């Protein structure tokens, strides 16, 4: 059984890779046309493209998505969505699960990948974590994203969680952004993306994934530290109770 699973997992990984390459190539065509629009119209149009792209991708890959808590996004409001981060599958899941247009904070290195990098830059605020200047610039860009009425999706752990703990420690950025902008935080918990893409070389497995949006947290009257600790506790408790 172990040998069969190992072989199938690599065949399935190849299938997923081929689907991804095919669908992103097709997506590039409307993305280039939409690039002619100015923000925030461009992001609203791109969000529809992302949804269509990922609907096709997840369907062909045989991965079922379960999304809960979309009702927490109130019409006319935009939010800072903070998610736990376990897998490369988290970003395509979260960007399209958020019901309205959004951008995510992302590593600048990924934008250099041919074809993928073009799409990646359209939906991201890029940051070079080795550069203090880049981090400052990305923070200002995230403020602009919120000012345009878009949601901002942030992974406050900063990188994928490779520990056995439910969450790694949170960085301050998302919570300072909330306290300074006045935008509420929507804590969000992702489940089972590591079962699709475990930490094995060229291996994947078809499995359902889940993303639960929790009740918004207002930053009013709270410090960055208080907001960070509150979000961390809520997300950790929810993960442990529902995994």
């Amino acid at each position: 059984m172990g040998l069969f699973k190992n072989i199938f997992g690599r065949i399935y990984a190849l299938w997923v890779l081929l689907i991804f390459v095919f669908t992103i190539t097709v997506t590039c065509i409307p993305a280039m046309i939409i690039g002619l629009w100015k923000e925030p119209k461009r992001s609203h149009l791109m969000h529809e493209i992302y949804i269509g792209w990922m609907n096709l991708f997840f369907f062909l890959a045989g991965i079922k998505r379960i999304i809960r808590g979309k009702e927490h996004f109130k019409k006319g409001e935009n939010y800072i969505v903070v998610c736990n981060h376990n897998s490369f599958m988290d970003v395509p899941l979260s960007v399209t699960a958020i019901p309205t247009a959004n951008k995510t904070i992302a590593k600048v290195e990924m934008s250099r990948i041919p074809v993928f990098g073009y799409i990646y830059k359209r939906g991201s605020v890029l940051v070079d974590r080795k550069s203090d200047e880049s981090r400052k610039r990305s923070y200002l860009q995230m403020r602009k994203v919120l000012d345009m009425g878009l949601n901002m999706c942030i992974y406050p752990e900063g990188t994928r969680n490779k520990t056995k703990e439910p969450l790694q420690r949170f960085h301050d950025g998302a919570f300072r952004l909330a306290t300074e902008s006045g935008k509420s935080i929507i804590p969000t918990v992702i489940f089972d993306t590591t079962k699709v893409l475990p930490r094995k070389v060229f291996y994947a497995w078809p499995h359902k994934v889940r993303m639960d949006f929790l009740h918004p947290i207002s930053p009013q009257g709270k410090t960055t530290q208080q907001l960070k600790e509150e979000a961390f506790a809520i997300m950790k408790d929810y993960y442990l109770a529902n995994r």
Side-chain angles (χ1 to χ4, degrees), residues 36-70:
L36 299 173
W37 271 265
K38 294 183 178 181
E39 294 287 16
K41 181 68 172 178
R42 181 197 302 161
S43 287
H44 287 289
L45 292 172
M46 280 303 302
H47 188 248
E48 298 302 317
I49 295 295
Y50 292 143
I51 289 174
W53 172 25
M54 284 295 112
N55 282 347
L56 180 60
F57 171 78
F58 281 111
F59 173 75
L60 292 176
I63 300 170
K64 181 180 180 181
R65 291 170 293 171
I66 299 172
I67 312 298
R68 300 174 177 173
K70 284 188 177 183

PDB file of all heavy atoms in Angstrom, residues 36-70:
ATOM      1  N   LEU A  36      -4.905  46.677 -18.701  1.00  0.00           N
ATOM      2  CA  LEU A  36      -5.083  48.018 -19.264  1.00  0.00           C
ATOM      3  C   LEU A  36      -5.940  48.910 -18.368  1.00  0.00           C
ATOM      4  O   LEU A  36      -5.897  50.127 -18.484  1.00  0.00           O
ATOM      5  CB  LEU A  36      -5.714  47.915 -20.658  1.00  0.00           C
ATOM      6  CG  LEU A  36      -4.909  47.131 -21.713  1.00  0.00           C
ATOM      7  CD1 LEU A  36      -5.727  46.970 -22.985  1.00  0.00           C
ATOM      8  CD2 LEU A  36      -3.586  47.823 -21.995  1.00  0.00           C
ATOM      9  N   TRP A  37      -6.744  48.299 -17.500  1.00  0.00           N
ATOM     10  CA  TRP A  37      -7.587  49.068 -16.591  1.00  0.00           C
ATOM     11  C   TRP A  37      -6.764  49.602 -15.419  1.00  0.00           C
ATOM     12  O   TRP A  37      -5.735  49.029 -15.042  1.00  0.00           O
ATOM     13  CB  TRP A  37      -8.722  48.205 -16.064  1.00  0.00           C
ATOM     14  CG  TRP A  37      -9.959  48.209 -16.900  1.00  0.00           C
ATOM     15  CD1 TRP A  37     -11.070  48.986 -16.749  1.00  0.00           C
ATOM     16  CD2 TRP A  37     -10.231  47.381 -18.038  1.00  0.00           C
ATOM     17  NE1 TRP A  37     -12.009  48.691 -17.713  1.00  0.00           N
ATOM     18  CE2 TRP A  37     -11.520  47.715 -18.523  1.00  0.00           C
ATOM     19  CE3 TRP A  37      -9.512  46.383 -18.712  1.00  0.00           C
ATOM     20  CZ2 TRP A  37     -12.086  47.093 -19.613  1.00  0.00           C
ATOM     21  CZ3 TRP A  37     -10.065  45.769 -19.807  1.00  0.00           C
ATOM     22  CH2 TRP A  37     -11.335  46.116 -20.249  1.00  0.00           C
ATOM     23  N   LYS A  38      -7.243  50.665 -14.820  1.00  0.00           N
ATOM     24  CA  LYS A  38      -6.587  51.206 -13.630  1.00  0.00           C
ATOM     25  C   LYS A  38      -7.227  50.608 -12.379  1.00  0.00           C
ATOM     26  O   LYS A  38      -8.323  50.082 -12.407  1.00  0.00           O
ATOM     27  CB  LYS A  38      -6.699  52.730 -13.612  1.00  0.00           C
ATOM     28  CG  LYS A  38      -5.926  53.407 -14.732  1.00  0.00           C
ATOM     29  CD  LYS A  38      -5.999  54.921 -14.625  1.00  0.00           C
ATOM     30  CE  LYS A  38      -5.171  55.583 -15.721  1.00  0.00           C
ATOM     31  NZ  LYS A  38      -5.219  57.072 -15.610  1.00  0.00           N
ATOM     32  N   GLU A  39      -6.500  50.712 -11.262  1.00  0.00           N
ATOM     33  CA  GLU A  39      -7.036  50.261  -9.987  1.00  0.00           C
ATOM     34  C   GLU A  39      -8.097  51.231  -9.480  1.00  0.00           C
ATOM     35  O   GLU A  39      -8.026  52.425  -9.773  1.00  0.00           O
ATOM     36  CB  GLU A  39      -5.904  50.152  -8.937  1.00  0.00           C
ATOM     37  CG  GLU A  39      -4.873  49.082  -9.222  1.00  0.00           C
ATOM     38  CD  GLU A  39      -5.391  47.663  -8.973  1.00  0.00           C
ATOM     39  OE1 GLU A  39      -6.619  47.466  -8.871  1.00  0.00           O
ATOM     40  OE2 GLU A  39      -4.560  46.758  -8.892  1.00  0.00           O
ATOM     41  N   PRO A  40      -9.101  50.759  -8.713  1.00  0.00           N
ATOM     42  CA  PRO A  40      -9.291  49.375  -8.265  1.00  0.00           C
ATOM     43  C   PRO A  40     -10.079  48.493  -9.226  1.00  0.00           C
ATOM     44  O   PRO A  40     -10.279  47.326  -8.953  1.00  0.00           O
ATOM     45  CB  PRO A  40     -10.067  49.557  -6.961  1.00  0.00           C
ATOM     46  CG  PRO A  40     -10.916  50.763  -7.214  1.00  0.00           C
ATOM     47  CD  PRO A  40     -10.061  51.684  -8.062  1.00  0.00           C
ATOM     48  N   LYS A  41     -10.514  49.076 -10.357  1.00  0.00           N
ATOM     49  CA  LYS A  41     -11.287  48.307 -11.329  1.00  0.00           C
ATOM     50  C   LYS A  41     -10.524  47.060 -11.776  1.00  0.00           C
ATOM     51  O   LYS A  41     -11.094  45.984 -11.923  1.00  0.00           O
ATOM     52  CB  LYS A  41     -11.620  49.176 -12.537  1.00  0.00           C
ATOM     53  CG  LYS A  41     -12.443  48.487 -13.621  1.00  0.00           C
ATOM     54  CD  LYS A  41     -13.851  48.180 -13.152  1.00  0.00           C
ATOM     55  CE  LYS A  41     -14.710  47.678 -14.285  1.00  0.00           C
ATOM     56  NZ  LYS A  41     -16.083  47.316 -13.849  1.00  0.00           N
ATOM     57  N   ARG A  42      -9.201  47.214 -11.975  1.00  0.00           N
ATOM     58  CA  ARG A  42      -8.385  46.082 -12.413  1.00  0.00           C
ATOM     59  C   ARG A  42      -8.475  44.915 -11.436  1.00  0.00           C
ATOM     60  O   ARG A  42      -8.658  43.769 -11.840  1.00  0.00           O
ATOM     61  CB  ARG A  42      -6.929  46.521 -12.557  1.00  0.00           C
ATOM     62  CG  ARG A  42      -5.999  45.404 -13.036  1.00  0.00           C
ATOM     63  CD  ARG A  42      -4.548  45.758 -12.766  1.00  0.00           C
ATOM     64  NE  ARG A  42      -4.197  47.004 -13.432  1.00  0.00           N
ATOM     65  CZ  ARG A  42      -3.142  47.745 -13.097  1.00  0.00           C
ATOM     66  NH1 ARG A  42      -2.365  47.380 -12.098  1.00  0.00           N
ATOM     67  NH2 ARG A  42      -2.876  48.854 -13.750  1.00  0.00           N
ATOM     68  N   SER A  43      -8.389  45.207 -10.144  1.00  0.00           N
ATOM     69  CA  SER A  43      -8.423  44.133  -9.150  1.00  0.00           C
ATOM     70  C   SER A  43      -9.793  43.466  -9.077  1.00  0.00           C
ATOM     71  O   SER A  43      -9.883  42.248  -8.861  1.00  0.00           O
ATOM     72  CB  SER A  43      -8.041  44.675  -7.761  1.00  0.00           C
ATOM     73  OG  SER A  43      -6.653  44.940  -7.708  1.00  0.00           O
ATOM     74  N   HIS A  44     -10.854  44.249  -9.247  1.00  0.00           N
ATOM     75  CA  HIS A  44     -12.193  43.653  -9.246  1.00  0.00           C
ATOM     76  C   HIS A  44     -12.363  42.707 -10.445  1.00  0.00           C
ATOM     77  O   HIS A  44     -12.926  41.615 -10.309  1.00  0.00           O
ATOM     78  CB  HIS A  44     -13.255  44.752  -9.279  1.00  0.00           C
ATOM     79  CG  HIS A  44     -13.402  45.494  -7.985  1.00  0.00           C
ATOM     80  ND1 HIS A  44     -13.970  44.920  -6.863  1.00  0.00           N
ATOM     81  CD2 HIS A  44     -13.038  46.750  -7.621  1.00  0.00           C
ATOM     82  CE1 HIS A  44     -13.962  45.794  -5.879  1.00  0.00           C
ATOM     83  NE2 HIS A  44     -13.404  46.912  -6.300  1.00  0.00           N
ATOM     84  N   LEU A  45     -11.861  43.101 -11.590  1.00  0.00           N
ATOM     85  CA  LEU A  45     -11.948  42.241 -12.772  1.00  0.00           C
ATOM     86  C   LEU A  45     -11.046  41.015 -12.620  1.00  0.00           C
ATOM     87  O   LEU A  45     -11.433  39.895 -12.972  1.00  0.00           O
ATOM     88  CB  LEU A  45     -11.554  43.032 -14.026  1.00  0.00           C
ATOM     89  CG  LEU A  45     -12.520  44.135 -14.451  1.00  0.00           C
ATOM     90  CD1 LEU A  45     -11.908  44.963 -15.581  1.00  0.00           C
ATOM     91  CD2 LEU A  45     -13.856  43.548 -14.904  1.00  0.00           C
ATOM     92  N   MET A  46      -9.843  41.220 -12.081  1.00  0.00           N
ATOM     93  CA  MET A  46      -8.915  40.110 -11.895  1.00  0.00           C
ATOM     94  C   MET A  46      -9.462  39.092 -10.902  1.00  0.00           C
ATOM     95  O   MET A  46      -9.229  37.892 -11.036  1.00  0.00           O
ATOM     96  CB  MET A  46      -7.554  40.621 -11.418  1.00  0.00           C
ATOM     97  CG  MET A  46      -6.664  41.187 -12.519  1.00  0.00           C
ATOM     98  SD  MET A  46      -6.333  40.024 -13.885  1.00  0.00           S
ATOM     99  CE  MET A  46      -5.574  38.658 -13.026  1.00  0.00           C
ATOM    100  N   HIS A  47     -10.212  39.569  -9.909  1.00  0.00           N
ATOM    101  CA  HIS A  47     -10.778  38.645  -8.931  1.00  0.00           C
ATOM    102  C   HIS A  47     -11.725  37.660  -9.609  1.00  0.00           C
ATOM    103  O   HIS A  47     -11.735  36.464  -9.288  1.00  0.00           O
ATOM    104  CB  HIS A  47     -11.512  39.412  -7.831  1.00  0.00           C
ATOM    105  CG  HIS A  47     -11.960  38.562  -6.691  1.00  0.00           C
ATOM    106  ND1 HIS A  47     -13.291  38.311  -6.427  1.00  0.00           N
ATOM    107  CD2 HIS A  47     -11.261  37.889  -5.746  1.00  0.00           C
ATOM    108  CE1 HIS A  47     -13.384  37.524  -5.371  1.00  0.00           C
ATOM    109  NE2 HIS A  47     -12.179  37.256  -4.939  1.00  0.00           N
ATOM    110  N   GLU A  48     -12.492  38.143 -10.563  1.00  0.00           N
ATOM    111  CA  GLU A  48     -13.382  37.255 -11.306  1.00  0.00           C
ATOM    112  C   GLU A  48     -12.585  36.253 -12.138  1.00  0.00           C
ATOM    113  O   GLU A  48     -12.967  35.086 -12.262  1.00  0.00           O
ATOM    114  CB  GLU A  48     -14.304  38.079 -12.211  1.00  0.00           C
ATOM    115  CG  GLU A  48     -15.223  39.040 -11.460  1.00  0.00           C
ATOM    116  CD  GLU A  48     -16.107  38.311 -10.452  1.00  0.00           C
ATOM    117  OE1 GLU A  48     -16.649  37.243 -10.795  1.00  0.00           O
ATOM    118  OE2 GLU A  48     -16.230  38.818  -9.319  1.00  0.00           O
ATOM    119  N   ILE A  49     -11.470  36.710 -12.696  1.00  0.00           N
ATOM    120  CA  ILE A  49     -10.602  35.816 -13.465  1.00  0.00           C
ATOM    121  C   ILE A  49     -10.000  34.745 -12.553  1.00  0.00           C
ATOM    122  O   ILE A  49      -9.958  33.555 -12.899  1.00  0.00           O
ATOM    123  CB  ILE A  49      -9.476  36.608 -14.165  1.00  0.00           C
ATOM    124  CG1 ILE A  49     -10.069  37.553 -15.214  1.00  0.00           C
ATOM    125  CG2 ILE A  49      -8.446  35.671 -14.790  1.00  0.00           C
ATOM    126  CD1 ILE A  49     -10.757  36.855 -16.358  1.00  0.00           C
ATOM    127  N   TYR A  50      -9.521  35.179 -11.372  1.00  0.00           N
ATOM    128  CA  TYR A  50      -8.943  34.218 -10.425  1.00  0.00           C
ATOM    129  C   TYR A  50      -9.965  33.151 -10.028  1.00  0.00           C
ATOM    130  O   TYR A  50      -9.637  31.964  -9.921  1.00  0.00           O
ATOM    131  CB  TYR A  50      -8.458  34.937  -9.159  1.00  0.00           C
ATOM    132  CG  TYR A  50      -7.274  35.845  -9.354  1.00  0.00           C
ATOM    133  CD1 TYR A  50      -7.179  37.053  -8.664  1.00  0.00           C
ATOM    134  CD2 TYR A  50      -6.240  35.506 -10.215  1.00  0.00           C
ATOM    135  CE1 TYR A  50      -6.095  37.902  -8.836  1.00  0.00           C
ATOM    136  CE2 TYR A  50      -5.151  36.345 -10.384  1.00  0.00           C
ATOM    137  CZ  TYR A  50      -5.086  37.537  -9.698  1.00  0.00           C
ATOM    138  OH  TYR A  50      -4.013  38.371  -9.858  1.00  0.00           O
ATOM    139  N   ILE A  51     -11.198  33.584  -9.789  1.00  0.00           N
ATOM    140  CA  ILE A  51     -12.240  32.636  -9.385  1.00  0.00           C
ATOM    141  C   ILE A  51     -12.482  31.602 -10.484  1.00  0.00           C
ATOM    142  O   ILE A  51     -12.534  30.388 -10.224  1.00  0.00           O
ATOM    143  CB  ILE A  51     -13.543  33.382  -9.039  1.00  0.00           C
ATOM    144  CG1 ILE A  51     -13.370  34.162  -7.729  1.00  0.00           C
ATOM    145  CG2 ILE A  51     -14.716  32.401  -8.918  1.00  0.00           C
ATOM    146  CD1 ILE A  51     -14.550  35.045  -7.374  1.00  0.00           C
ATOM    147  N   GLY A  52     -12.601  32.070 -11.723  1.00  0.00           N
ATOM    148  CA  GLY A  52     -12.797  31.143 -12.831  1.00  0.00           C
ATOM    149  C   GLY A  52     -11.623  30.195 -12.996  1.00  0.00           C
ATOM    150  O   GLY A  52     -11.808  28.985 -13.224  1.00  0.00           O
ATOM    151  N   TRP A  53     -10.415  30.743 -12.882  1.00  0.00           N
ATOM    152  CA  TRP A  53      -9.198  29.937 -13.006  1.00  0.00           C
ATOM    153  C   TRP A  53      -9.155  28.847 -11.935  1.00  0.00           C
ATOM    154  O   TRP A  53      -8.963  27.665 -12.232  1.00  0.00           O
ATOM    155  CB  TRP A  53      -7.986  30.865 -12.904  1.00  0.00           C
ATOM    156  CG  TRP A  53      -6.656  30.180 -12.827  1.00  0.00           C
ATOM    157  CD1 TRP A  53      -6.338  28.925 -13.294  1.00  0.00           C
ATOM    158  CD2 TRP A  53      -5.454  30.713 -12.252  1.00  0.00           C
ATOM    159  NE1 TRP A  53      -5.012  28.652 -13.038  1.00  0.00           N
ATOM    160  CE2 TRP A  53      -4.449  29.726 -12.413  1.00  0.00           C
ATOM    161  CE3 TRP A  53      -5.144  31.911 -11.635  1.00  0.00           C
ATOM    162  CZ2 TRP A  53      -3.136  29.932 -11.960  1.00  0.00           C
ATOM    163  CZ3 TRP A  53      -3.838  32.110 -11.198  1.00  0.00           C
ATOM    164  CH2 TRP A  53      -2.857  31.133 -11.354  1.00  0.00           C
ATOM    165  N   MET A  54      -9.353  29.241 -10.671  1.00  0.00           N
ATOM    166  CA  MET A  54      -9.234  28.274  -9.594  1.00  0.00           C
ATOM    167  C   MET A  54     -10.406  27.291  -9.548  1.00  0.00           C
ATOM    168  O   MET A  54     -10.244  26.147  -9.141  1.00  0.00           O
ATOM    169  CB  MET A  54      -9.096  29.000  -8.251  1.00  0.00           C
ATOM    170  CG  MET A  54      -7.702  29.576  -8.040  1.00  0.00           C
ATOM    171  SD  MET A  54      -6.428  28.282  -7.933  1.00  0.00           S
ATOM    172  CE  MET A  54      -5.507  28.564  -9.444  1.00  0.00           C
ATOM    173  N   ASN A  55     -11.586  27.731  -9.983  1.00  0.00           N
ATOM    174  CA  ASN A  55     -12.710  26.780 -10.079  1.00  0.00           C
ATOM    175  C   ASN A  55     -12.353  25.653 -11.041  1.00  0.00           C
ATOM    176  O   ASN A  55     -12.596  24.468 -10.757  1.00  0.00           O
ATOM    177  CB  ASN A  55     -13.973  27.491 -10.572  1.00  0.00           C
ATOM    178  CG  ASN A  55     -14.651  28.293  -9.480  1.00  0.00           C
ATOM    179  OD1 ASN A  55     -14.345  28.153  -8.293  1.00  0.00           O
ATOM    180  ND2 ASN A  55     -15.581  29.148  -9.854  1.00  0.00           N
ATOM    181  N   LEU A  56     -11.768  26.017 -12.174  1.00  0.00           N
ATOM    182  CA  LEU A  56     -11.367  25.014 -13.162  1.00  0.00           C
ATOM    183  C   LEU A  56     -10.229  24.154 -12.628  1.00  0.00           C
ATOM    184  O   LEU A  56     -10.257  22.919 -12.750  1.00  0.00           O
ATOM    185  CB  LEU A  56     -10.948  25.704 -14.460  1.00  0.00           C
ATOM    186  CG  LEU A  56     -10.487  24.789 -15.599  1.00  0.00           C
ATOM    187  CD1 LEU A  56     -11.596  23.828 -15.998  1.00  0.00           C
ATOM    188  CD2 LEU A  56     -10.014  25.622 -16.797  1.00  0.00           C
ATOM    189  N   PHE A  57      -9.239  24.809 -12.026  1.00  0.00           N
ATOM    190  CA  PHE A  57      -8.079  24.072 -11.514  1.00  0.00           C
ATOM    191  C   PHE A  57      -8.474  23.053 -10.445  1.00  0.00           C
ATOM    192  O   PHE A  57      -8.111  21.874 -10.528  1.00  0.00           O
ATOM    193  CB  PHE A  57      -7.042  25.047 -10.938  1.00  0.00           C
ATOM    194  CG  PHE A  57      -5.924  24.357 -10.197  1.00  0.00           C
ATOM    195  CD1 PHE A  57      -4.896  23.752 -10.897  1.00  0.00           C
ATOM    196  CD2 PHE A  57      -5.919  24.293  -8.805  1.00  0.00           C
ATOM    197  CE1 PHE A  57      -3.869  23.095 -10.225  1.00  0.00           C
ATOM    198  CE2 PHE A  57      -4.904  23.644  -8.123  1.00  0.00           C
ATOM    199  CZ  PHE A  57      -3.874  23.045  -8.836  1.00  0.00           C
ATOM    200  N   PHE A  58      -9.220  23.497  -9.435  1.00  0.00           N
ATOM    201  CA  PHE A  58      -9.592  22.584  -8.351  1.00  0.00           C
ATOM    202  C   PHE A  58     -10.509  21.466  -8.853  1.00  0.00           C
ATOM    203  O   PHE A  58     -10.425  20.332  -8.384  1.00  0.00           O
ATOM    204  CB  PHE A  58     -10.248  23.361  -7.212  1.00  0.00           C
ATOM    205  CG  PHE A  58      -9.274  24.072  -6.312  1.00  0.00           C
ATOM    206  CD1 PHE A  58      -9.191  25.467  -6.306  1.00  0.00           C
ATOM    207  CD2 PHE A  58      -8.446  23.370  -5.470  1.00  0.00           C
ATOM    208  CE1 PHE A  58      -8.291  26.129  -5.484  1.00  0.00           C
ATOM    209  CE2 PHE A  58      -7.533  24.012  -4.627  1.00  0.00           C
ATOM    210  CZ  PHE A  58      -7.460  25.401  -4.647  1.00  0.00           C
ATOM    211  N   PHE A  59     -11.379  21.783  -9.806  1.00  0.00           N
ATOM    212  CA  PHE A  59     -12.262  20.759 -10.361  1.00  0.00           C
ATOM    213  C   PHE A  59     -11.452  19.681 -11.080  1.00  0.00           C
ATOM    214  O   PHE A  59     -11.642  18.480 -10.846  1.00  0.00           O
ATOM    215  CB  PHE A  59     -13.261  21.402 -11.329  1.00  0.00           C
ATOM    216  CG  PHE A  59     -14.095  20.406 -12.084  1.00  0.00           C
ATOM    217  CD1 PHE A  59     -15.139  19.728 -11.462  1.00  0.00           C
ATOM    218  CD2 PHE A  59     -13.820  20.124 -13.423  1.00  0.00           C
ATOM    219  CE1 PHE A  59     -15.897  18.790 -12.157  1.00  0.00           C
ATOM    220  CE2 PHE A  59     -14.573  19.194 -14.124  1.00  0.00           C
ATOM    221  CZ  PHE A  59     -15.618  18.527 -13.484  1.00  0.00           C
ATOM    222  N   LEU A  60     -10.542  20.097 -11.963  1.00  0.00           N
ATOM    223  CA  LEU A  60      -9.743  19.133 -12.712  1.00  0.00           C
ATOM    224  C   LEU A  60      -8.790  18.349 -11.810  1.00  0.00           C
ATOM    225  O   LEU A  60      -8.465  17.197 -12.087  1.00  0.00           O
ATOM    226  CB  LEU A  60      -8.950  19.853 -13.805  1.00  0.00           C
ATOM    227  CG  LEU A  60      -9.773  20.452 -14.952  1.00  0.00           C
ATOM    228  CD1 LEU A  60      -8.877  21.220 -15.909  1.00  0.00           C
ATOM    229  CD2 LEU A  60     -10.549  19.367 -15.688  1.00  0.00           C
ATOM    230  N   ALA A  61      -8.353  18.985 -10.719  1.00  0.00           N
ATOM    231  CA  ALA A  61      -7.453  18.312  -9.779  1.00  0.00           C
ATOM    232  C   ALA A  61      -8.196  17.396  -8.820  1.00  0.00           C
ATOM    233  O   ALA A  61      -7.566  16.608  -8.093  1.00  0.00           O
ATOM    234  CB  ALA A  61      -6.662  19.351  -8.983  1.00  0.00           C
ATOM    235  N   GLY A  62      -9.518  17.472  -8.807  1.00  0.00           N
ATOM    236  CA  GLY A  62     -10.300  16.618  -7.917  1.00  0.00           C
ATOM    237  C   GLY A  62     -10.194  17.013  -6.455  1.00  0.00           C
ATOM    238  O   GLY A  62     -10.330  16.166  -5.566  1.00  0.00           O
ATOM    239  N   ILE A  63      -9.983  18.298  -6.208  1.00  0.00           N
ATOM    240  CA  ILE A  63      -9.850  18.792  -4.828  1.00  0.00           C
ATOM    241  C   ILE A  63     -11.119  19.549  -4.456  1.00  0.00           C
ATOM    242  O   ILE A  63     -11.460  20.561  -5.082  1.00  0.00           O
ATOM    243  CB  ILE A  63      -8.628  19.726  -4.691  1.00  0.00           C
ATOM    244  CG1 ILE A  63      -7.347  18.982  -5.061  1.00  0.00           C
ATOM    245  CG2 ILE A  63      -8.536  20.286  -3.269  1.00  0.00           C
ATOM    246  CD1 ILE A  63      -6.135  19.887  -5.191  1.00  0.00           C
ATOM    247  N   LYS A  64     -11.808  19.068  -3.457  1.00  0.00           N
ATOM    248  CA  LYS A  64     -13.034  19.723  -3.001  1.00  0.00           C
ATOM    249  C   LYS A  64     -12.695  20.830  -2.010  1.00  0.00           C
ATOM    250  O   LYS A  64     -11.901  20.627  -1.091  1.00  0.00           O
ATOM    251  CB  LYS A  64     -13.973  18.711  -2.341  1.00  0.00           C
ATOM    252  CG  LYS A  64     -15.285  19.320  -1.862  1.00  0.00           C
ATOM    253  CD  LYS A  64     -16.183  18.273  -1.218  1.00  0.00           C
ATOM    254  CE  LYS A  64     -17.488  18.894  -0.745  1.00  0.00           C
ATOM    255  NZ  LYS A  64     -18.374  17.901  -0.081  1.00  0.00           N
ATOM    256  N   ARG A  65     -13.320  21.998  -2.197  1.00  0.00           N
ATOM    257  CA  ARG A  65     -13.122  23.122  -1.283  1.00  0.00           C
ATOM    258  C   ARG A  65     -14.368  23.337  -0.433  1.00  0.00           C
ATOM    259  O   ARG A  65     -15.482  23.363  -0.953  1.00  0.00           O
ATOM    260  CB  ARG A  65     -12.825  24.396  -2.065  1.00  0.00           C
ATOM    261  CG  ARG A  65     -11.489  24.424  -2.762  1.00  0.00           C
ATOM    262  CD  ARG A  65     -11.377  25.613  -3.698  1.00  0.00           C
ATOM    263  NE  ARG A  65     -12.303  25.485  -4.821  1.00  0.00           N
ATOM    264  CZ  ARG A  65     -12.555  26.454  -5.709  1.00  0.00           C
ATOM    265  NH1 ARG A  65     -11.975  27.630  -5.569  1.00  0.00           N
ATOM    266  NH2 ARG A  65     -13.383  26.260  -6.697  1.00  0.00           N
ATOM    267  N   ILE A  66     -14.160  23.501   0.863  1.00  0.00           N
ATOM    268  CA  ILE A  66     -15.249  23.823   1.778  1.00  0.00           C
ATOM    269  C   ILE A  66     -14.930  25.186   2.381  1.00  0.00           C
ATOM    270  O   ILE A  66     -13.905  25.364   3.049  1.00  0.00           O
ATOM    271  CB  ILE A  66     -15.389  22.764   2.893  1.00  0.00           C
ATOM    272  CG1 ILE A  66     -15.689  21.387   2.281  1.00  0.00           C
ATOM    273  CG2 ILE A  66     -16.483  23.171   3.883  1.00  0.00           C
ATOM    274  CD1 ILE A  66     -15.644  20.253   3.283  1.00  0.00           C
ATOM    275  N   ILE A  67     -15.786  26.152   2.124  1.00  0.00           N
ATOM    276  CA  ILE A  67     -15.573  27.527   2.602  1.00  0.00           C
ATOM    277  C   ILE A  67     -16.719  27.892   3.546  1.00  0.00           C
ATOM    278  O   ILE A  67     -17.887  27.790   3.173  1.00  0.00           O
ATOM    279  CB  ILE A  67     -15.519  28.536   1.446  1.00  0.00           C
ATOM    280  CG1 ILE A  67     -14.570  28.048   0.327  1.00  0.00           C
ATOM    281  CG2 ILE A  67     -15.105  29.906   1.961  1.00  0.00           C
ATOM    282  CD1 ILE A  67     -13.143  27.882   0.745  1.00  0.00           C
ATOM    283  N   ARG A  68     -16.396  28.333   4.745  1.00  0.00           N
ATOM    284  CA  ARG A  68     -17.404  28.714   5.725  1.00  0.00           C
ATOM    285  C   ARG A  68     -17.165  30.136   6.219  1.00  0.00           C
ATOM    286  O   ARG A  68     -16.036  30.591   6.287  1.00  0.00           O
ATOM    287  CB  ARG A  68     -17.367  27.760   6.926  1.00  0.00           C
ATOM    288  CG  ARG A  68     -17.630  26.300   6.565  1.00  0.00           C
ATOM    289  CD  ARG A  68     -17.434  25.407   7.773  1.00  0.00           C
ATOM    290  NE  ARG A  68     -17.749  24.010   7.483  1.00  0.00           N
ATOM    291  CZ  ARG A  68     -17.530  23.002   8.332  1.00  0.00           C
ATOM    292  NH1 ARG A  68     -16.995  23.251   9.514  1.00  0.00           N
ATOM    293  NH2 ARG A  68     -17.834  21.770   7.995  1.00  0.00           N
ATOM    294  N   GLY A  69     -18.244  30.824   6.557  1.00  0.00           N
ATOM    295  CA  GLY A  69     -18.129  32.129   7.205  1.00  0.00           C
ATOM    296  C   GLY A  69     -18.074  33.321   6.274  1.00  0.00           C
ATOM    297  O   GLY A  69     -17.724  34.432   6.705  1.00  0.00           O
ATOM    298  N   LYS A  70     -18.448  33.157   5.009  1.00  0.00           N
ATOM    299  CA  LYS A  70     -18.427  34.298   4.082  1.00  0.00           C
ATOM    300  C   LYS A  70     -19.385  35.406   4.504  1.00  0.00           C
ATOM    301  O   LYS A  70     -19.217  36.562   4.097  1.00  0.00           O
ATOM    302  CB  LYS A  70     -18.766  33.828   2.662  1.00  0.00           C
ATOM    303  CG  LYS A  70     -17.651  33.097   1.956  1.00  0.00           C
ATOM    304  CD  LYS A  70     -18.015  32.853   0.488  1.00  0.00           C
ATOM    305  CE  LYS A  70     -16.883  32.190  -0.264  1.00  0.00           C
ATOM    306  NZ  LYS A  70     -17.196  32.020  -1.706  1.00  0.00           N
TER     307      LYS A  70
END
